Amino acid sequence: MDLKELEKECSSCKKCPLYEGRNNVVFGQGNENASILFIGEGPGEQEDLSGVPFVGKSGQLFDKMLEAVELTRDEIYIANIIKCRPPGNRNPKPEEAKICIDYLYSQIDLIKPTIIVCLGKVASEYIIHDDFKITAERGQWSQKGNCHYIATYHPSYLLRSPNKKAEAWLDFKEIKHADKFLNKEDGSN
Ligand code: URA
């Protein structure tokens, strides 16, 4: 199965009740050969309406952070732990995430990123380890297999706590200098 086929399957998913309230499945966006995969939590209102991840206010901040380290959405891939918007933007329930995360695992298998950046605590808990402490553990590299993992604050948290932007900037500089890990044969980022 390729990414397009997986997206098609995901777009008609009814495996958890979140499908009932969605306008669009937000599968993911970006370069299928990206070396860097960013993982957020789940779609908000704007993402649900457009079907594209990180297009609301937090997405605008995310774009600025990418730009600051000279990356564009065409070079990276961005996806979420869950693909349908939880009502009122609540955190995904464990039973929803448990079902939906298989799509993300398949995306990871197909894209084969060298670097995974978790945006916020929820993504970090599901992807790095389950008692992840974002304040203490952000900005630190870990490795599983051939993939290097790092977490930073979620952009929507940074909108609420702008004093944390300096730390997020340090994390993005780590990501910028992660080319030491980038050894993809096709030369893409
Ligand atoms: N927040 C997320 O975690 N993901 C999105 O796609 C949008 C906002």
Side-chain angles (χ1 to χ4, degrees):
M1 181 177 295
D2 67 19
L3 213 54
K4 288 246 150 33
E5 288 162 343
L6 182 68
E7 180 166 8
K8 194 163 176 233
E9 182 187 313
C10 185
S11 70
S12 58
C13 180
K14 294 186 175 174
K15 290 181 186 162
C16 90
L18 289 181
Y19 85 88
E20 291 167 3
R22 76 176 173 226
N23 288 297
N24 284 291
V25 169
V26 181
F27 178 70
Q29 183 201 44
N31 188 325
E32 297 185 9
N33 296 309
S35 292
I36 308 181
L37 170 65
F38 286 84
I39 302 177
E41 186 178 318
E45 185 181 15
Q46 295 306 314
E47 292 76 19
D48 172 65
L49 289 172
S50 63
V52 180
F54 283 95
V55 289
K57 280 216 167 87
S58 62
Q60 288 163 20
L61 178 57
F62 175 67
D63 284 339
K64 276 192 197 158
M65 295 165 89
L66 278 184
E67 202 182 311
V69 292
E70 293 163 345
L71 285 171
T72 66
R73 286 201 187 209
D74 295 340
E75 294 168 281
I76 59 125
Y77 198 92
I78 172 96
N80 285 307
I81 299 289
I82 54 163
K83 312 300 194 210
C84 295
R85 183 191 181 203
N89 295 345
R90 64 159 169 71
N91 282 2
K93 292 181 182 169
E95 60 269 29
E96 294 159 354
K98 232 183 191 165
I99 295 171
C100 199
I101 207 164
D102 282 343
Y103 290 117
L104 181 61
Y105 292 149
S106 299
Q107 286 172 300
I108 294 172
D109 282 347
L110 290 164
I111 296 166
K112 298 186 177 56
T114 317
I115 294 163
I116 291 185
V117 182
C118 293
L119 298 170
K121 181 177 169 61
V122 170
S124 306
E125 284 175 342
Y126 281 107
I127 297 296
I128 302 180
H129 66 84
D130 61 9
D131 62 346
F132 195 89
K133 302 281 177 288
I134 190 80
T135 307
E137 296 181 70
R138 50 143 278 278
Q140 295 175 23
W141 290 107
S142 57
Q143 184 173 0
K144 282 184 227 168
N146 291 328
C147 193
H148 301 265
Y149 295 76
I150 195 167
T152 190
Y153 294 120
H154 193 286
S156 66
Y157 174 71
L158 294 174
L159 289 172
R160 296 193 303 274
S161 308
N163 61 324
K164 298 286 183 185
K165 281 186 187 171
E167 286 168 80
W169 172 234
L170 293 177
D171 303 339
F172 269 73
K173 279 204 282 195
E174 277 293 322
I175 298 158
K176 182 179 168 71
H177 294 121
D179 44 350
K180 55 187 178 244
F181 302 136
L182 301 179
N183 51 8
K184 279 208 161 178
E185 283 157 23
D186 65 6
S188 70
N189 279 319

